[in-house]
Amino acid sequence: MLKKILSLLLIASLSVPFAARADEGMWLPMLIKRLNYTDMQKEGLQLTAEEIYSVNHASLKDAIVSFGGFCTGEFISPEGLLITNHHCGYSSVQSHSSPDHDYLTDGFWATSKDKELPNEGLFVDILVRMDDVTDKVLEGITPATSEEERAQKIAQRMKAIAQEASENGQYVSYVRDFFNGNEYYVFVYNRYTDVRLVGAPPSSVGKYGGDTDNWMWPRHTGDFSMFRVYMAPDGKPAPYSKTNVPYKPKHFLPISLSDKEPGDFSMVFGFPGRTKRFMTSHGLKLEVNQLNKSRIKLRDKKLGLWKEDMDKDAATRIKYASKYASTSNYYKYSIGQNEGIKRMHTIEGKIADEDKFQAWANADAQRKATYGDVLSNIADAYANIEKYNLGSIYLNEAVLGTESMMLGYRFIPLYNTLKANNAAATQKAIEDLKPRVDAHFKDYNMPTDKKVFAAMMKYYYEDIPKDQQPEEFKNMVQKYNGNFEKLADYVYSNSFLVSEQKVNDFLQNPSQKKLENDPAFQIVNSILMNYVNNIAPKMAESNAKLDKANRLYVAGLRLMNPDKVYYPDANSTLRLSYGTVKDYSPQDGVLYNYYTTLDGVMAKEDPTNPEFVVPAKLKQLYQAKDYGRYANSKGELVTDFITDNDITGGNSGSPVINGRGELMGLAFDGNWEAMTGDLVYDPEYKRCINVDIRYVLFIIDKYAGATNLIQEMTLVDNGNPGAGDAAEAKAETPQAELLNATVQEAKEMLRSGKEEFKIEKKKGDVKVKLQVKD
C-alpha cells in the first residue's frame, strides 16, 4: 500500500489526501524546517524547507513583499509584475481617479509598460534575511535587573543591531520582540519605492458585495489589483525615474490552473499585522467592553455622515471612497469579534487556562516566587488602565478621526519649532507638511468634515470623564452652551486649517501666534497635551507593570507545557501558515461549500444597489459561458474559495500556494464566524477567504483584454480535464511538461507492482525528484 510520497521539487501527489485538520499558527519561515516541516509534508507539501526559505538560494520568500507596510503582495512574472488585493491597491487607484477618469468605477489597465502609473509614497519591502538575536539583546540581563534598566538596554541594543544590519543604510532593518519580550529577531529588507499601477478591475468586480458581504461567506469578489516594481538600471532600489527598469525577482510564483478539492494543501505566506493570543481574560474584557464598543459607536456615526454626502455627489464619493472602506472594515470587524468572543466563551476559556497556570505556579516554591504574582499583577494593571483607556481610544477614534483635527495634529511639530524660534527646523517642518497638506485637501470636503466634527466632539465631551478633559476644550463647549453645531460653525468659520488656500498662505508666513489662535488647532492641541501630560503617565506606569507580567506569563506557559510548540503573535513580520481547502458549517443545518462561482455573482445582482452591480461585459461573458482555459473541470468559473489557514490583517493580498509552490489564489478576508482571530484561534470556524487565481486571470484576459499581462506569467495545469482549452496550457512550461512525464512513469511503476522506487528527471534548469516508500 502506498503510504507516503516525498518530493523535493515539482511533483504531483499520488496518495489519498490525509484527513484535513485546522493548523493554528503564523510561523516564522526560518524555523519551518525545525518546527513544522514534517506536519506540512503530511498535509501535502511537496517542496523542501530550503525551497520555502533560504538566505543563500532563491526561494518562495523572495516572491513575497510587504506592500506599503499594510498589505502583502507577490511577484508573478520575471519582470517585477506584482499582484495584491484590490482593497490594498484601492487608495492608489483612487489617487489617479477623477470624475473624468473614474478608474474606481471603470477599472484601469496598462496595455504597455509606458502607460503604468507611478504612486508617490508607495513602497515594497523584500526580505533579505531574518536572524535570531535574542542572546545579543538579553546579554547580562537577569531577573534582578530593574525594568527601567532592562528596557533601556534592550532599546539601545535593538537599535545598534538594526543599524549594523542595515549596512550603512543599504537595507531597511529592524529588530522585533517575540513571545512578549522573551525572544528577539532582526529583519533585513530591500525597499523599492518605484511601484507603478498596472491594472485593477472595476470596483463592481474588485469590491463586489461591498460592506454587505465584508467578512462574509459565501463571497463572489474579484479582490485583486496589479503593480510593477522598478529598479535602477544597476539593479538597486531607486526613486521613480523614466530610466528605471522592471525589477527582476529572484523568484516569482507560477500560477496553477488546476482544480482545488477539499483536503488539498494550502499555504499562506505574508505579513500578518497584530495578534494578541497570549492576552489574558482581563485584557479580553477591556477589549470587548471598551475598545470594540467605542469603535463601533464612533465609526457607525462617522460612516453614516460620510455616506449621506457620498450618495449626494460623485466627487465626494470618490474623495471619501478609500477612507470609507478603511473605516468600515474594522467597524464591522469589532462587531463580529464581540459576537465571536461571546459565542466561543473565550473569556471563560482564558479564565480556566489562568487557573491551571496559577495552580502550576503554586505547586513549587521556586515557581511561586517567580510566577505566583503574575496574574494578580496583570489584573491590577488592567484595572488601572481601564480608568484612563477611554481617553486614549477617543483621542484616536473621535479626535484624530476628524479630518480637521488630524491636520491640526500634523501642525504640532511646526508649532514646536516656532516656539523654539528655530528657523532651520521650522523650514524643515514646513517642507514635511506640504505633501501631507496636498494629500489631505485632495480628498477633503469641508461641509462633510464639519458634520463629523460636531458629532465626534459631542461624544468626546459626553463620554470622557470631565476630570480627564482639558479646561480649554470644556470652556469652549460651555461658551456655546453645549451646542456642538454652533461650536462647529465657529471653528469652521474661523480656522485656516479647513481651507487649502489659507493653509498654504500660512505656510508661506507661519507664526506661533496665528496657530495658537486657530480654534481647530486649539482644540486638538489642548486634548493632545492633556493626554500627554495627565493621562499617558498614568497609563505608562500600568503598561510597564503589565509588560513585565505578560512576559513572565508567556515564559511560564512555555515552561509549563514543554511539549507544546508555541508560535509567536503576529507583528507585521513575514509569516507562513498552512492548512487545507475546507468547507464549514456555520450553524445547524447549514453547510457552506468550499468555493463559489460566477453563477453566484449573477444571482446576487441588483442594479439598484451599487454594491451588487454587475458590469455589462461580465454578463455577456457569463451568458456565452466564455470562460476559456479558466473554467474548472465542471465548466464553472470559480470566483472564490476558502481554506482553514490562520491569517489576520496584513495578510490581505497574501498568496495562497499549493503543495507544488504554485499560486492558486489571493487571501483577502476572514469569515464572520471567526472574528475572534486576533485574540484566539477558532479551529471549528476559522476560514481564510480567497479570490481564485483563475477568476483573476479570466478578468485580466477575457474581461479586460490585457493579454500583455497574461503573456508575462507562467501558467501551469497539472490535470484539469474538461476545463475549456486547459489542455493547451499543460505544455506551456518546462515544469509542467517534466511533471507530467514523471507522473506517468510513476503510475507505470505502481501498476507493475513496485512498492518502493525513486525517479529523478532533469530538463534544462528544471529538476524533479520523486521518492515513493511503502
Side-chain angles (χ1 to χ4, degrees):
M1 178 181 175
L2 186 60
K3 300 270 185 154
K4 182 180 182 183
I5 293 178
L6 171 64
S7 75
L8 299 182
L9 199 57
L10 294 165
I11 193 62
S13 176
L14 305 178
S15 63
V16 177
F18 286 82
R21 64 181 179 84
D23 289 285
E24 176 181 352
M26 303 172 198
W27 304 91
L28 285 166
M30 68 175 287
L31 302 179
I32 288 297
K33 185 174 184 178
R34 177 162 59 88
L35 300 179
N36 311 95
Y37 184 59
T38 300
D39 288 338
M40 293 169 71
Q41 281 184 304
K42 289 177 181 178
E43 292 201 14
L45 176 67
Q46 298 164 20
L47 304 177
T48 65
E50 185 82 356
E51 288 171 314
I52 294 172
Y53 176 88
S54 175
V55 174
N56 300 314
H57 305 286
S59 59
L60 284 183
K61 80 160 173 64
D62 299 307
I64 317 301
V65 309
S66 173
F67 184 82
F70 50 82
C71 278
T72 301
E74 51 274 2
F75 291 114
I76 55 172
S77 94
E79 298 184 75
L81 186 63
L82 180 146
I83 193 165
T84 186
N85 284 158
H86 184 269
H87 72 263
C88 296
Y90 195 78
S91 61
S92 295
V93 180
Q94 185 262 351
S95 70
H96 294 292
S97 296
S98 67
D100 293 331
H101 298 284
D102 189 353
Y103 298 136
L104 289 176
T105 299
D106 302 329
F108 171 81
W109 303 98
T111 53
S112 59
K113 292 184 178 68
D114 62 321
K115 292 184 172 67
E116 296 170 355
L117 303 176
N119 300 278
E120 186 176 353
L122 183 60
F123 64 87
V124 300
D125 285 343
I126 305 169
L127 183 70
V128 177
R129 70 178 188 276
M130 60 178 74
D131 291 306
D132 185 348
V133 292
T134 305
D135 290 343
K136 289 182 180 179
V137 172
L138 297 181
E139 184 180 2
I141 293 176
T142 70
T145 306
S146 71
E147 285 300 298
E148 184 178 358
E149 183 184 358
R150 185 183 197 278
Q152 187 179 43
K153 284 184 175 179
I154 286 174
Q156 290 171 347
R157 291 169 183 176
M158 289 172 70
K159 183 178 180 181
I161 291 168
Q163 285 180 338
E164 182 181 1
S166 76
E167 298 186 19
N168 296 317
Q170 179 181 351
Y171 301 109
V172 172
S173 57
Y174 49 76
V175 177
R176 292 282 185 267
D177 77 284
F178 292 80
F179 296 109
N180 291 53
N182 286 288
E183 294 182 11
Y184 293 84
Y185 290 76
V186 64
F187 296 82
V188 182
Y189 296 90
N190 266 315
R191 174 168 291 181
Y192 290 83
T193 56
D194 187 354
V195 184
R196 305 181 195 179
L197 177 64
V198 173
S203 293
S204 54
V205 172
K207 275 192 72 181
Y208 189 75
D211 295 321
T212 301
D213 276 2
N214 190 24
W215 302 111
M216 296 297 181
W217 182 260
R219 200 67 166 274
H220 302 84
T221 311
D223 198 343
F224 78 96
S225 58
M226 306 178 77
F227 293 78
R228 194 183 305 279
V229 178
Y230 282 78
M231 61 184 182
D234 63 2
K236 295 179 180 178
Y240 170 79
S241 170
K242 290 183 178 180
T243 62
N244 284 350
V245 297
Y247 173 73
K248 304 295 183 186
K250 291 181 180 179
H251 182 76
F252 65 91
L253 299 178
I255 296 174
S256 173
L257 296 175
S258 301
D259 281 358
K260 289 167 278 291
E261 301 292 341
D264 283 355
F265 178 83
S266 62
M267 175 167 53
V268 171
F269 220 151
F271 292 83
R274 288 279 172 183
T275 57
K276 295 177 279 190
R277 293 187 180 165
F278 290 104
M279 181 180 279
T280 63
S281 61
H282 308 285
L284 282 177
K285 291 174 186 176
L286 199 67
E287 199 92 0
V288 169
N289 297 324
Q290 275 198 340
L291 175 59
N292 286 345
K293 187 176 179 181
S294 299
R295 181 185 283 158
I296 293 164
K297 174 181 178 178
L298 297 171
R299 293 195 179 197
D300 180 70
K301 184 66 174 180
K302 187 193 302 184
L303 288 166
L305 293 172
W306 279 353
K307 191 145 193 330
E308 284 178 7
D309 290 2
M310 292 169 71
D311 288 345
K312 293 175 185 176
D313 177 63
T316 303
R317 174 182 58 79
I318 292 173
K319 287 179 178 180
Y320 281 80
S322 181
K323 289 181 278 195
Y324 187 95
S326 176
T327 301
S328 174
N329 196 39
Y330 270 80
Y331 158 71
K332 193 168 183 179
Y333 179 88
S334 297
I335 296 172
Q337 188 177 79
N338 276 9
E339 290 183 7
I341 288 172
K342 182 179 179 181
R343 173 182 56 78
M344 290 178 64
H345 304 289
T346 305
I347 293 174
E348 294 86 343
K350 289 283 188 178
I351 291 172
D353 290 342
E354 290 156 22
D355 288 344
K356 292 177 185 176
F357 179 88
Q358 192 65 57
W360 169 82
N362 291 341
D364 176 88
Q366 187 172 350
R367 292 202 301 257
K368 187 173 183 179
T370 304
Y371 303 108
D373 294 332
V374 164
L375 288 170
S376 62
N377 288 338
I378 289 175
D380 291 344
Y382 273 119
N384 193 60
I385 289 170
E386 186 177 7
K387 298 175 185 177
Y388 303 99
N389 195 44
L390 208 59
S392 175
I393 296 169
Y394 272 57
L395 173 62
N396 287 292
E397 290 285 340
V399 181
L400 299 182
T402 303
E403 292 170 279
S404 61
M405 297 292 99
M406 175 55 86
L407 185 62
Y409 167 75
R410 297 194 188 285
F411 271 71
I412 289 176
L414 173 60
Y415 175 63
N416 291 333
T417 67
L418 292 168
K419 283 174 63 178
N421 198 27
N422 186 327
T426 294
Q427 189 56 42
K428 185 180 185 307
I430 291 172
E431 294 305 315
D432 290 343
L433 267 173
K434 284 180 178 179
R436 294 178 178 269
V437 168
D438 292 342
H440 171 84
F441 283 108
K442 178 183 180 296
D443 296 324
Y444 181 72
N445 186 50
M446 192 267 278
T448 303
D449 184 47
K450 181 180 175 183
K451 291 193 294 185
V452 172
F453 169 87
M456 295 298 106
M457 294 304 103
K458 185 173 188 291
Y459 281 141
Y460 179 87
Y461 183 74
E462 292 175 346
D463 295 349
I464 302 302
K466 293 297 183 289
D467 62 353
Q468 294 181 31
Q469 295 183 27
E471 293 302 320
E472 300 94 320
F473 175 69
K474 289 189 289 188
N475 291 338
M476 200 176 289
V477 172
Q478 290 165 8
K479 180 180 178 180
Y480 291 95
N481 299 314
N483 187 319
F484 286 86
E485 281 71 28
K486 288 185 178 180
L487 175 62
D489 287 339
Y490 166 71
V491 170
Y492 283 72
S493 296
N494 292 278
S495 173
F496 71 83
L497 290 170
V498 301
S499 163
E500 183 174 16
Q501 183 61 54
K502 290 180 179 178
V503 166
N504 287 326
D505 289 345
F506 174 82
L507 292 177
Q508 291 292 325
N509 186 26
S511 76
Q512 176 185 343
K513 184 176 181 181
K514 187 166 185 178
L515 253 184
E516 288 175 338
N517 291 333
D518 186 276
F521 184 78
Q522 286 175 352
I523 291 173
V524 70
N525 191 48
S526 66
I527 291 175
L528 185 68
M529 291 302 102
N530 176 68
Y531 176 81
V532 169
N533 295 324
N534 301 319
I535 296 176
K538 296 181 175 69
M539 295 272 285
E541 184 179 342
S542 297
N543 282 324
K545 183 177 182 179
L546 182 63
D547 287 345
K548 178 180 180 179
N550 278 333
R551 185 176 71 247
L552 289 171
Y553 179 57
V554 173
L557 281 175
R558 297 172 79 187
L559 189 63
M560 184 176 78
N561 301 301
D563 295 330
K564 181 175 179 177
V565 180
Y566 283 93
Y567 60 90
D569 271 320
N571 59 0
S572 297
T573 56
L574 186 63
R575 303 295 180 91
L576 179 154
S577 75
Y578 60 97
T580 58
V581 175
K582 193 175 183 181
D583 55 23
Y584 74 108
S585 176
Q587 56 186 321
D588 184 46
V590 177
L591 177 65
Y592 282 157
N593 193 19
Y594 66 95
Y595 72 91
T596 58
T597 70
L598 193 57
D599 292 346
V601 174
M602 300 306 160
K604 287 181 176 179
E605 181 188 13
D606 181 358
T608 67
N609 185 342
E611 294 183 341
F612 294 99
V613 170
V614 178
K617 185 171 182 181
L618 186 57
K619 286 194 280 189
Q620 292 169 6
L621 291 166
Y622 170 73
Q623 289 160 2
K625 296 294 182 286
D626 186 7
Y627 306 150
R629 69 178 71 175
Y630 310 117
N632 68 6
S633 57
K634 297 178 181 178
E636 303 166 319
L637 183 62
V638 177
T639 53
D640 301 314
F641 67 99
I642 50 174
T643 66
D644 61 6
N645 288 87
D646 195 358
I647 64 161
T648 189
N651 271 128
S652 290
S654 293
V656 186
I657 302 169
N658 65 19
R660 297 180 296 273
E662 301 158 356
L663 181 66
M664 58 182 186
L666 310 179
F668 71 87
D669 213 350
N671 59 318
W672 181 254
E673 295 83 7
M675 289 292 92
T676 57
D678 285 356
L679 305 173
V680 62
Y681 181 82
D682 187 336
E684 183 177 359
Y685 291 112
K686 179 69 174 179
R687 292 297 180 272
C688 173
I689 302 176
N690 318 291
V691 58
D692 194 290
I693 197 63
R694 293 170 296 184
Y695 187 46
V696 171
L697 297 172
F698 165 81
I699 294 295
I700 297 169
D701 188 352
K702 292 288 187 176
Y703 179 87
T707 54
N708 58 303
L709 301 178
I710 299 291
Q711 289 165 2
E712 288 188 42
M713 307 174 198
T714 297
L715 308 186
V716 180
D717 190 338
N718 294 296
N720 194 17
D725 52 355
E728 170 186 321
K730 288 185 179 179
E732 284 191 13
T733 65
Q735 293 97 322
E737 213 173 289
L738 200 57
L739 181 61
N740 290 332
T742 308
V743 169
Q744 291 305 315
E745 186 173 336
K747 286 180 178 179
E748 290 300 322
M749 297 182 87
L750 286 169
R751 289 192 193 102
S752 69
K754 285 201 173 186
E755 294 182 346
E756 294 191 15
F757 57 87
K758 183 186 294 184
I759 302 172
E760 295 187 24
K761 288 183 177 292
K762 182 176 180 181
K763 186 173 182 179
D765 294 331
V766 180
K767 298 178 182 177
V768 172
K769 180 183 285 188
L770 177 146
Q771 183 174 345
V772 175
K773 294 181 179 179
D774 180 47

